[in-house]
Amino acid sequence: MFRTAIVLPLFALSLLDFASASPLESDRGVAIPLAKRGSLTKPDGRFDVAKANATRMQLQRKHRQNLISAERHLGLKGLSTLSPDAFPHDRKRGGVALTDQEEDLLWSGTITIGTPPQKFSVDFDTGSSDLWVPSSKCSTCSRRHNAYNAALSSTGKLKNGTFSIHYADNSTSSGPIYTDKVTVGGVTVTGQFLSAVKTESSQLAQEPTDGVLGLAWPSISDLNSDPFFFTAIYQSAVKEGAFAFKLASHGSELCIGGTNSKLYSGPIEYHPIISQDYWQIDNGSVSLNGTAVSSGFKTIIDSGTTLMGARAPVVEEFYARINGSRQDPELNGYYSFPCDPVPKVSFNWGGRDWEINASDFNLGESGEPGQCVGALVPLDLGPRVGDDVWLLGDTFMKNVYSVFSVEKKSIGFAELA
Ligand SMILES: *[C@@H]1O[C@H](CO)[C@@H](O)[C@H](O)[C@H]1NC(C)=O
Ligand SMILES: *[C@@H]1O[C@H](CO)[C@@H](O)[C@H](O)[C@H]1NC(C)=O
Ligand SMILES: *[C@@H]1O[C@H](CO)[C@@H](O)[C@H](O)[C@H]1NC(C)=O
Ligand SMILES: *[C@@H]1O[C@H](CO)[C@@H](O)[C@H](O)[C@H]1NC(C)=O
Ligand SMILES: *[C@@H]1O[C@H](CO)[C@@H](O)[C@H](O)[C@H]1NC(C)=O
Ligand SMILES: *[C@@H]1O[C@H](CO)[C@@H](O)[C@H](O)[C@H]1NC(C)=O
Ligand SMILES: *[C@@H]1O[C@H](CO)[C@@H](O)[C@H](O)[C@H]1NC(C)=O
């Protein structure tokens, strides 16, 4: 989330239209179409410095905040555990198709809140745990954004307390807390905690989506309550305690309550998560042209982040293996490398290699002839995260079918069909 300051029109897609047209019932879950917007590569193939500068800043803001949340909540709530009983068999299926627009910066989809339903476009973010949208009483929010009007919802209930997000740059957004009915891709839950924000800093108001739907674990919820997908599990609204993403130029989809076997081939390679906060797995290694460059690191898989990041010294070591690469001060810390050939970058967690397509690693020409910008960037994840953590966003996720299983407490990867 918060990855672009560029405003593009919303793709004309609504869940309701989608549902009445053809409810895409996959084998396990329901498919939600996702829209993606914005690109760090200009139409002429050059790297968009201004947009990239903003993106990297925003990426940092978000993760700083999540870490603050983790710190605040982990000690208090402890780690949540799910009993196997939470998964009865009479579950429904749910799904959201993800729609593509322009290139690769952000995927979003439509949800509804309230009775009768009010429609919103949200970022489906595996790196945070709260649902928030603008309030109809928000004076600083963008007029382009849809706003939640609790008075128009017969199922909306005001709760005690205030939700507030505080970013590292001191911008804030806050508002009252409600519970209401929420529908995502045909999966409906009742009494879902959410916030309708009444103040929004200008950066947030410039986001193309109305709000965010967090898909990470309850322990990092600022609302201190169950995120949508956990509510869906507890209310038996989903068939299976897993959701899965296909992020691509065409046919992107979030499957809620299972996986869509039409979208992947071969087995799903599962890896246990190492904590119940972010979606995080251990024993990662990264290779250049098949030679391991760094290994034994932890990896956060984050649909709310565009690129891939690691601590500055780790990233420096990575690019040191690519002849002719350099950190470019004019590119606000991004690295450039000789465009031809783009090195083969792949990740491995003890199973097969998951390779990143050259067109995903290469963000475009830097402005210096023959130099291109790499999608691995130095990232300050804050003091709580160790030196050995990598953050893999959409750049990685576009190359695999990714499954987030609450039931198995695992992340799975499979080859895209
Ligand atoms: C991007 O950030 C760098 C470093 O802060 C700055 O020198 C450069 O002018 C910025 N570029 C644009 C286009 O904003
Ligand atoms: C809100 O706070 C008031 C006063 O502390 C309390 O009486 C009430 O039960 C609380 N309501 C909810 C929904 O928690
Ligand atoms: C945010 O506010 C705190 C406390 O006032 C201050 O220490 C910090 O430097 C500020 N950060 C920025 C980026 O302005
Ligand atoms: C990767 O392999 C290509 C072709 O064999 C070679 O030209 C390039 O230098 C290699 N790059 C790295 C970083 O090993
Ligand atoms: C990088 O350059 C060095 C020195 O010119 C050379 O020995 C090495 O093979 C090059 N590595 C790759 C991967 O091209
Ligand atoms: C960790 O990954 C390496 C390959 O990168 C593999 O050989 C090893 O078995 C893995 N260890 C575990 C515990 O999965
Ligand atoms: C890499 O991406 C390009 C552009 O999206 C696509 O045409 C190509 O088929 C992809 N290559 C592989 C091996 O998937």
Side-chain angles (χ1 to χ4, degrees):
M1 69 191 212
F2 311 139
R3 291 173 301 202
T4 173
I6 298 299
V7 175
L8 294 160
L10 288 179
F11 205 77
L13 183 138
S14 81
L15 264 187
L16 300 176
D17 299 345
F18 179 75
S20 58
S22 81
L24 186 76
E25 183 107 333
S26 56
D27 47 333
R28 291 298 175 85
V30 176
I32 307 173
L34 297 187
K36 67 177 179 170
R37 307 183 177 78
S39 173
L40 294 177
T41 310
K42 293 177 179 171
D44 64 4
R46 280 181 305 126
F47 180 63
D48 192 331
V49 181
K51 210 192 279 188
N53 274 4
T55 299
R56 201 168 142 243
M57 252 169 53
Q58 289 162 353
L59 198 135
Q60 294 214 2
R61 265 209 301 279
K62 174 184 144 181
H63 286 282
R64 285 285 183 73
Q65 175 54 31
N66 280 347
L67 293 166
I68 293 166
S69 305
E71 194 160 295
R72 199 185 308 148
H73 298 306
L74 280 175
L76 303 174
K77 270 187 99 176
L79 299 177
S80 52
T81 49
L82 288 171
S83 79
D85 309 345
F87 305 97
H89 294 294
D90 59 339
R91 301 272 179 63
K92 290 176 217 98
R93 305 160 180 225
V96 183
L98 316 187
T99 310
D100 318 327
Q101 220 171 328
E102 222 201 295
E103 296 281 310
D104 304 353
L105 207 59
L106 180 85
W107 278 264
S108 65
T110 309
I111 67 166
T112 65
I113 303 175
T115 313
Q118 300 176 32
K119 221 183 283 178
F120 302 90
S121 70
V122 294
D123 257 343
F124 290 104
D125 180 15
T126 62
S128 67
S129 297
D130 294 304
L131 169 58
W132 65 266
V133 293
S135 160
S136 56
K137 299 204 179 99
C138 180
S139 52
T140 53
C141 297
S142 164
R143 293 260 171 270
R144 287 173 298 100
H145 286 167
N146 295 311
Y148 174 70
N149 189 338
L152 298 181
S153 174
S154 63
T155 42
K157 287 198 184 70
L158 182 67
K159 308 300 273 189
N160 281 344
T162 302
F163 170 74
S164 134
I165 321 172
H166 181 183
Y167 295 100
D169 66 355
N170 289 336
S171 68
T172 60
S173 149
S174 67
I177 297 169
Y178 294 90
T179 57
D180 206 338
K181 192 163 110 177
V182 174
T183 299
V184 180
V187 173
T188 297
V189 304
T190 56
Q192 175 62 47
F193 276 81
L194 61 105
S195 177
V197 302
K198 280 165 95 170
T199 61
E200 218 181 59
S201 62
S202 58
Q203 298 100 318
L204 298 180
Q206 282 168 9
E207 289 299 319
T209 46
D210 301 324
V212 173
L213 188 144
L215 290 164
W217 289 72
S219 64
I220 56 169
S221 162
D222 267 332
L223 287 167
N224 226 334
S225 62
D226 288 326
F228 169 83
F229 190 66
F230 286 80
T231 309
I233 289 170
Y234 295 137
Q235 295 181 3
S236 299
V238 285
K239 190 175 180 184
E240 202 186 300
F243 57 88
F245 280 94
K246 176 191 174 182
L247 299 183
S249 300
H250 301 287
S252 296
E253 175 185 300
L254 164 62
C255 184
I256 300 262
T259 55
N260 183 351
S261 63
K262 290 194 183 72
L263 298 182
Y264 67 93
S265 60
I268 300 174
E269 180 186 296
Y270 281 103
H271 299 284
I273 56 170
I274 52 177
S275 58
Q276 291 171 29
D277 36 56
Y278 301 102
W279 285 99
Q280 187 172 186
I281 54 179
D282 210 346
N283 194 35
S285 75
V286 64
S287 299
L288 271 170
N289 275 0
T291 304
V293 185
S294 183
S295 57
F297 52 79
K298 300 178 177 68
T299 328
I300 296 172
I301 309 295
D302 183 4
S303 65
T305 289
T306 307
L307 303 176
M308 306 186 291
R311 289 236 197 247
V314 176
V315 172
E316 191 181 342
E317 218 174 281
F318 175 91
Y319 283 104
R321 303 291 191 95
I322 305 174
N323 282 347
S325 72
R326 66 186 74 98
Q327 190 171 26
D328 195 331
E330 277 173 30
L331 301 178
N332 195 20
Y334 283 79
Y335 281 78
S336 70
F337 61 91
C339 297
D340 194 18
V342 176
K344 269 194 194 134
V345 180
S346 59
F347 287 88
N348 185 304
W349 287 272
R352 54 161 281 188
D353 280 343
W354 301 98
E355 192 175 318
I356 299 196
N357 190 318
S359 68
D360 293 325
F361 185 72
N362 180 3
L363 296 177
E365 281 186 30
S366 70
E368 196 182 332
Q371 288 289 111
C372 282
V373 179
L376 173 66
V377 301
L379 193 63
D380 179 4
L381 289 168
R384 266 186 65 97
V385 171
D387 283 337
D388 58 342
V389 177
W390 287 52
L391 187 77
L392 302 190
D394 303 343
T395 297
F396 172 75
M397 289 179 73
K398 281 187 287 178
N399 294 276
V400 297
Y401 190 68
S402 51
V403 183
F404 297 80
S405 176
V406 171
E407 217 166 325
K408 291 188 168 73
K409 298 190 177 70
S410 295
I411 300 175
F413 303 120
E415 182 141 8
L416 286 167

